[in-house]
Amino acid sequence: MSQDGAGIDLDTSLGYLLKEASSALRVAMEEVLRPLGMNVTHYSCLELLAQRPGLSNSDLARGAFVTRQTMNVLLQALERDGYVTRPAAAPVGKVLPTRLTPRGRRSLEKATVAVRSVEVRMLADMTDAERSAASRILRSMIRSLRADDA
Amino acid sequence: MSQDGAGIDLDTSLGYLLKEASSALRVAMEEVLRPLGMNVTHYSCLELLAQRPGLSNSDLARGAFVTRQTMNVLLQALERDGYVTRPAAAPVGKVLPTRLTPRGRRSLEKATVAVRSVEVRMLADMTDAERSAASRILRSMIRSLRADDA
DNA sequence: TGACTCATGTCAGCATTCTGACATAGCTTG
DNA sequence: CAAGCTATGTCAGAATGCTGACATGAGTCA
């Protein structure tokens, strides 16, 4: 039943393990972000803006791994609630550079502490060598998956 | 701006890399499953049933990393369309053991080929040692994230 | 046995994200 | 310069998954 060519063994498949790890990370992050009224995409957006102020809607969407339509909906809510600002008209082209407001920055600070604790917990039992290996391996997977999308 | 304690450096964060890899995998899988009229959860459900016939709704939900409510909706659709069967009444307790129909098995066969090709591509540039390391590291992350959910 | 706890299946409503579509701006190329 | 291609922002509708809630069956324990 395990490896006879008629299926993908879920107990040993790296794809399945990757999904499992990602699911565990998402659950853990949402658990600590929920009390702050945030979800993972929401947090990702603020963190991206803190590190790279002036990113466009499409940039943020790529950075948070959602579509630009999804990010647009989120940005409109964040703007309405005063966490970010965008110019009324595009300085150049159609791109609207987005920036955190002081309120957005304060909100992010609490979230960053919470998220950092999750990441620390995730890496608790790993050596430095293993962390380096993890980084290299994950980058390799990403590169290979994105190569020739045919 | 990078590691001054005021944020999580997205360029080096293993959590971010994990999410990026998982996103790339999901996109690649949905790309090959879409022509077959399936999504990832749909495929996961069929693959689980092929390897462990008689799983309950809740078992399948845990294996596919969704809630049992979500899996219940999917199972009702799969049952209606003749891909799986469940007894009308529970043989014991409330648990309804689910099984693939021949039609479900045929549908899964094509999907497995497609998914396998994605996994092969993902692992293309990795040595056997790296694959072993990846498995060990991902399991460690999962274990740590699930430990003391406080 | 009876109370308690936990797991299960299921319904309903909501949140989130996606696909499809459109107009428009910038770049490239003949 | 004009045409073509790509990227962007945005709206609308559909798909997908989640939380909350309820009834019920099984196991535990005093």
Side-chain angles (χ1 to χ4, degrees):
Chain A
M1 167 70 67
S2 57
Q3 281 293 49
D4 53 5
I8 290 181
D9 187 343
L10 298 180
D11 292 323
T12 61
S13 158
L14 277 179
Y16 190 76
L17 268 181
L18 178 57
K19 185 175 177 186
E20 185 167 4
S22 164
S23 169
L25 175 60
R26 182 179 52 79
V27 166
M29 285 184 65
E30 285 182 346
E31 190 173 340
V32 299
L33 289 175
R34 178 182 309 277
L36 304 175
M38 281 191 207
N39 63 26
V40 175
T41 303
H42 186 131
Y43 160 75
S44 299
C45 177
L46 297 186
E47 187 73 59
L48 283 162
L49 284 174
Q51 297 189 23
R52 307 203 255 281
L55 282 189
S56 70
N57 175 32
S58 290
D59 288 332
L60 290 167
R62 278 186 290 268
F65 313 113
V66 296
T67 63
R68 67 187 196 280
Q69 293 92 326
T70 295
M71 183 56 69
N72 188 37
V73 171
L74 174 59
L75 276 184
Q76 286 175 355
L78 291 177
E79 191 173 16
R80 167 174 49 78
D81 297 341
Y83 294 100
V84 305
T85 52
R86 287 191 291 181
V92 53
K94 304 185 66 173
V95 175
L96 295 174
T98 311
R99 295 184 173 275
L100 287 181
T101 63
R103 178 175 187 178
R105 218 173 304 274
R106 278 195 301 277
S107 178
L108 173 60
E109 280 172 20
K110 300 174 199 158
T112 296
V113 173
V115 169
R116 194 195 307 278
S117 74
V118 171
E119 184 152 349
V120 166
R121 190 171 88 210
M122 181 176 81
L123 303 177
D125 291 341
M126 291 169 56
T127 65
D128 281 352
E130 282 173 329
R131 297 181 193 195
S132 300
S135 177
R136 184 167 37 83
I137 287 167
L138 287 172
R139 286 178 205 277
S140 171
M141 288 180 177
I142 294 164
R143 186 173 359 100
S144 295
L145 283 169
R146 291 191 179 150
D148 69 73
D149 281 345
Chain B
M1 166 71 70
S2 58
Q3 282 291 50
D4 53 6
I8 291 181
D9 187 343
L10 299 178
D11 292 323
T12 61
S13 158
L14 278 177
Y16 190 76
L17 268 181
L18 178 56
K19 184 174 175 185
E20 183 167 5
S22 165
S23 168
L25 175 60
R26 182 179 51 78
V27 166
M29 284 184 66
E30 284 181 348
E31 190 173 340
V32 300
L33 288 175
R34 179 181 309 276
L36 304 174
M38 280 192 208
N39 64 25
V40 175
T41 303
H42 186 131
Y43 160 75
S44 298
C45 177
L46 297 186
E47 186 74 60
L48 282 162
L49 284 174
Q51 296 188 25
R52 308 202 254 281
L55 282 189
S56 71
N57 175 33
S58 290
D59 288 331
L60 291 167
R62 279 186 289 268
F65 312 113
V66 295
T67 64
R68 66 189 197 280
Q69 293 91 327
T70 295
M71 182 56 70
N72 188 37
V73 171
L74 174 59
L75 275 184
Q76 286 175 354
L78 290 177
E79 191 173 17
R80 168 174 47 80
D81 297 341
Y83 295 99
V84 305
T85 52
R86 288 191 290 182
V92 52
K94 303 186 68 175
V95 175
L96 296 174
T98 311
R99 294 182 173 277
L100 287 181
T101 63
R103 178 176 187 179
R105 217 173 304 275
R106 278 194 303 275
S107 177
L108 173 61
E109 281 173 18
K110 300 174 199 157
T112 296
V113 172
V115 169
R116 194 195 308 278
S117 74
V118 171
E119 184 152 349
V120 166
R121 191 171 86 211
M122 180 175 81
L123 303 177
D125 291 341
M126 291 170 55
T127 65
D128 281 352
E130 283 173 328
R131 299 182 193 195
S132 300
S135 176
R136 184 166 38 82
I137 287 167
L138 287 172
R139 287 179 205 276
S140 171
M141 289 181 177
I142 294 164
R143 189 176 353 102
S144 296
L145 283 169
R146 292 192 179 150
D148 68 73
D149 281 343

